């Protein structure tokens, strides 16, 4: 007997049947997508027209001439011009499950037939409880204490919320530490944290940040010394003024630069001695290393005060320790995420932590090694064109044409035309990078992507 009307509705056999039919129809259609394909010439005119319309209405051209048709098959995505491409950038790291994943579609259907489109802090459904619990228990499983979870709708907003909590706790300290070349988002606050002048041109100053040079694997000891020196120098110049340190453990937007445990610990030690909060920005690193959180991969569990997540998690969030709890009034959100999003987020995270993805021998690292070994061979074949590969797990980068921005850009467009979506990151050097849809990728897909990279390298000098 159903105890609520909802229980009766969600267990209605007609819904079960409807979900089965969706699965069947999806499978029948998506299995027609078997490999990369050129555009249908008959669709060209209408496709170009929609691309132009979107560009005009959004007030600027799209980066790639990409508009999805609405269906895909794992790492393959169909565009509205009928072409099929390998998606190895996944909306800059969002479609971790690939395209049209049946489990994710079912989770979204379950969410979307609930009573509301959006959840917010005043009204949420019970699905939210499941999501908060999995975030919290996974984050704290090795001893971290960031058990509180505040949902939000973008990575930048998750970072804003973290900054508010740190500033309130450390008041009147009002400066922040960050890493050189970091990317933290583009809100008015985060534009002043992200270490790129072009992203804040014309904007009024919001946050004072002192930048610390990031880890350099080629100079392990020296880079630790340089970073410690930079921190101490800023603290001497502004005594007692630093509220927190935002740390990206693997710099994604800068081109897949990987940090180091000893390096982070040296900086965290200074934070702890000086009441500076340790904030790990995992918007890009979540679910891409040997652990669900990169701070677990680098064994920083006992040091973290706040963590933000986004992208792969489908819903963004800020996790924080009890002692960083905001006072009433500091934070709220009308939108914490759509019902479909919350349901899909739980599905994806549950799949990653309970499937064979994590660990040194999990799917994430296995695929990385496979990709890496192929790219190393390409680097040997084209020594003047490729350096690398770099990165870890689901984050893979390489320097092309000595990091020349224009040549790398030309390469990325040619690669797109040849059937693979990758993207650029960083400046001096600019890198080409991939954020793989791990849940959908198999080694044979990587082999095909590498063959297309090879072809593209042979075409561009
Ligand atoms: C490390 C990091 N932090 C924050 C953000 C901002 O996230 P969003 O674009 O969802 O606001 C990004 C996005 O690329 C990111 O990589």
């Amino acid at each position: 007997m159903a105890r609520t009307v909802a229980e009766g509705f969600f267990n209605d056999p007609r819904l079960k049947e409807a979900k089965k039919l969706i699965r069947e129809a999806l499978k029948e259609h998506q299995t027609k997508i078997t490999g990369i394909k050129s555009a249908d010439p008959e669709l060209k005119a209408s496709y170009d027209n929609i691309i132009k319309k979107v560009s005009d209405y959004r007030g600027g051209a799209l980066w790639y001439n990409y508009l999805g048709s609405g269906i895909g098959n794992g790492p393959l995505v169909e565009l509205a011009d009928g072409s099929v491409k390998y998606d190895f950038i996944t909306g800059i790291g969002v479609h971790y499950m690939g395209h049209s994943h049946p489990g994710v579609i079912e989770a979204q259907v379950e969410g979307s037939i609930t009573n509301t489109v959006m959840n917010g802090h005043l009204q949420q459904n019970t699905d939210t409880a499941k999501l908060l619990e999995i975030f919290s228990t996974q984050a704290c499983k090795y001893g971290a204490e960031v058990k509180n979870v505040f949902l939000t709708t973008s990575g930048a907003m998750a970072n804003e919320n973290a900054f508010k909590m740190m500033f309130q706790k450390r008041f009147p300290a009002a400066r922040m530490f960050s890493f050189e070349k970091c990317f933290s988002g583009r809100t008015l606050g985060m534009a002043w944290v992200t270490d790129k002048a072009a992203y804040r041109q014309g904007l009024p100053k919001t946050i004072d940040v002192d930048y610390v040079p990031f880890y350099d694997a080629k100079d392990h000891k020296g880079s630790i010394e340089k970073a410690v020196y930079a921190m101490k120098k800023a603290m001497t110049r502004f005594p007692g003024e630093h509220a927190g340190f935002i740390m990206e453990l693997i710099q994604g937007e800068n081109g897949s630069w990987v940090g180091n445990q000893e390096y982070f610990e040296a900086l965290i030690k200074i934070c702890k001695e000086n009441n500076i909060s340790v904030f790990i920005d995992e918007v890009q690193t979540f679910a891409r290393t040997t652990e669900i959180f990169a701070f677990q991969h680098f064994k920083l569990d006992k040091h973290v005060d706040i963590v933000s997540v986004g992208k792969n998690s489908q819903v963004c969030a800020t996790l924080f320790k009890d002692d960083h709890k905001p006072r009433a009034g500091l934070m709220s959100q009308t939108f914490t995420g759509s019902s479909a999003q919350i349901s899909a987020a739980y599905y994806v995270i549950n799949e990653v932590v309970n499937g064979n993805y994590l660990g040194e021998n999990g799917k994430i690292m296995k695929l990385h090694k496979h990709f890496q070994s192929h790219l190393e061979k390409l680097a040997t074949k084209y020594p003047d064109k490729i350096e690398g590969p770099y990165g870890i797990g689901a984050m893979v980068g390489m320097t092309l044409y000595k990091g020349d921005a224009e040549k790398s850009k030309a390469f990325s467009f040619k690669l797109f035309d040849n059937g693979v979506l990758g993207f650029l990151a960083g400046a001096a050097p600019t890198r080409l990078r991939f954020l793989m849809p791990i849940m959908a990728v198999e080694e044979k897909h990587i082999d095909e992507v590498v063959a297309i990279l090879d072809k593209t390298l042979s075409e561009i000098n």
Side-chain angles (χ1 to χ4, degrees):
M1 248 297 266
R3 292 164 303 171
T4 58
V5 174
E7 267 183 20
F9 174 54
F10 294 123
N11 292 310
D12 187 309
R14 285 170 295 181
L15 288 191
K16 210 170 158 196
E17 182 63 16
K19 286 191 269 182
K20 188 173 136 249
L21 291 175
I22 291 175
R23 252 184 203 258
E24 281 172 13
L26 175 65
K27 189 164 180 198
E28 195 180 308
H29 291 278
Q30 77 175 161
T31 45
K32 292 178 195 154
I33 299 173
T34 53
I36 64 158
K37 201 176 136 210
S38 315
D40 179 344
E42 283 185 19
L43 292 173
K44 187 176 173 0
S46 65
Y47 187 72
D48 288 351
N49 201 17
I50 314 177
I51 293 271
K52 185 174 177 322
K53 199 186 276 184
V54 171
S55 302
D56 287 350
Y57 280 126
R58 73 192 282 277
L62 294 163
W63 182 264
Y64 290 126
N65 279 344
Y66 177 106
L67 284 174
S69 70
I71 194 167
N73 189 8
L76 292 164
V77 59
E78 184 188 65
L79 274 55
D81 62 1
S83 66
V84 174
K85 298 193 189 291
Y86 268 111
D87 183 4
F88 264 41
I89 195 59
T90 59
I92 319 191
V94 183
H95 320 308
Y96 197 60
M97 51 289 183
H99 292 269
S100 305
H101 187 294
V104 177
I105 289 191
E106 193 161 309
Q108 287 186 86
V109 168
E110 285 166 1
S112 62
I113 56 171
T114 62
N115 57 322
T116 50
V117 175
M118 275 291 183
N119 290 263
H121 279 159
L122 193 60
Q123 291 183 281
Q124 319 208 32
N125 289 340
T126 51
D127 272 0
T128 297
K130 274 169 62 181
L131 183 60
L132 298 183
E133 184 177 14
I134 198 165
F135 269 134
S136 181
T137 51
Q138 285 303 315
C140 300
K141 67 183 170 188
Y142 304 128
E145 292 172 18
V146 286
K147 66 181 173 62
N148 307 286
V149 187
F150 193 94
L151 301 183
T152 188
T153 47
S154 77
M157 200 57 215
N159 285 352
E160 288 277 336
N161 288 334
F163 270 52
K164 285 163 88 174
M165 284 186 262
M166 290 188 284
F167 282 136
Q168 189 172 70
K169 178 167 173 59
R170 307 293 181 193
F171 182 82
R175 300 185 74 84
M176 280 287 161
F177 276 117
S178 189
F179 291 128
E180 285 176 3
K181 299 189 179 179
C182 71
F183 183 83
S184 312
R186 295 179 206 245
T187 51
L188 206 39
M190 289 311 120
W192 282 95
V193 180
T194 294
D195 189 16
K196 201 153 184 183
Y199 294 179
R200 52 173 174 260
Q201 230 176 15
L203 303 184
K205 175 75 151 295
T206 52
I207 299 176
D208 283 313
V209 180
D210 293 304
Y211 294 96
V212 171
F214 194 65
Y215 179 67
D216 180 357
K218 285 196 234 102
D219 183 17
H220 173 79
K221 200 163 161 277
S223 63
I224 296 177
E225 282 165 8
K226 276 183 211 145
V228 166
Y229 176 77
M231 252 188 111
K232 290 197 169 157
K233 196 169 158 194
M235 288 166 60
T236 307
R237 187 169 285 148
F238 304 107
E241 288 190 37
H242 293 91
F245 196 146
I246 172 172
M247 298 188 174
E248 226 186 312
L249 304 181
I250 302 153
Q251 290 195 318
E253 296 307 296
N254 189 31
S256 311
W257 296 77
V258 185
N260 169 275
Q261 183 183 353
E262 200 186 326
Y263 165 86
F264 293 127
E265 280 178 345
L267 305 182
I268 286 171
K269 184 169 177 286
I270 302 173
C271 291
K272 296 289 160 183
E273 287 165 357
N274 292 279
N275 287 327
I276 295 169
S277 300
V278 175
F279 164 37
I280 314 290
D281 175 349
E282 297 240 17
V283 172
Q284 190 148 152
T285 50
F286 183 74
R288 287 192 222 274
T289 63
T290 58
E291 299 287 350
I292 188 84
F293 288 91
F295 74 77
Q296 298 167 334
H297 173 89
F298 289 103
K299 300 189 169 40
L300 304 175
D301 302 72
K302 61 175 191 288
H303 308 301
V304 301
D305 294 310
I306 309 200
V307 181
S308 61
V309 294
K311 295 183 184 270
N312 277 341
S313 54
Q314 308 301 307
V315 174
C316 301
T318 314
L319 290 84
F320 52 99
K321 279 168 58 173
D322 279 344
D323 65 357
H324 278 68
K325 271 188 185 170
R327 289 200 288 280
L330 191 73
M331 282 156 46
S332 183
Q333 301 286 161
T334 302
F335 286 173
T336 48
S338 72
S339 308
Q341 214 185 342
I342 286 172
S343 177
Y346 179 81
Y347 179 92
V348 171
I349 299 169
N350 189 50
E351 180 71 19
V352 176
V353 294
N354 292 310
N356 295 319
Y357 294 92
L358 304 173
E360 283 299 339
N361 297 313
K363 187 177 181 191
I364 298 173
M365 293 308 278
K366 271 194 188 143
L367 289 178
H368 180 88
K369 281 179 200 144
H370 188 76
F371 205 179
Q372 186 184 21
S373 70
H374 273 304
L375 293 175
E376 278 164 2
K377 281 183 209 138
L378 277 189
T380 313
K381 185 169 173 188
Y382 301 98
D384 297 335
K385 296 185 185 178
I386 298 193
E387 288 155 72
Y390 308 99
I392 184 172
M395 302 169 80
V396 175
M398 53 190 166
T399 307
L400 299 175
Y401 310 102
K402 309 283 176 220
D404 182 286
E406 282 312 309
K407 279 192 174 170
S408 302
K409 188 171 164 187
F411 183 91
S412 73
F413 284 116
K414 187 76 183 162
L415 189 65
F416 178 83
D417 291 343
N418 286 345
V420 175
L421 276 150
F423 197 39
L424 304 177
T430 296
R431 281 183 176 173
L432 180 79
R433 46 83 184 248
F434 300 107
L435 294 165
M436 288 187 273
I438 290 287
M439 274 167 72
V441 171
E442 292 166 30
E443 290 187 354
K444 66 172 186 204
H445 301 130
I446 292 178
D447 299 347
E448 284 170 30
V449 166
V450 170
I452 298 167
L453 276 168
D454 192 344
K455 171 176 151 41
T456 313
L457 281 160
S458 70
E459 289 168 351
I460 295 201
N461 282 314

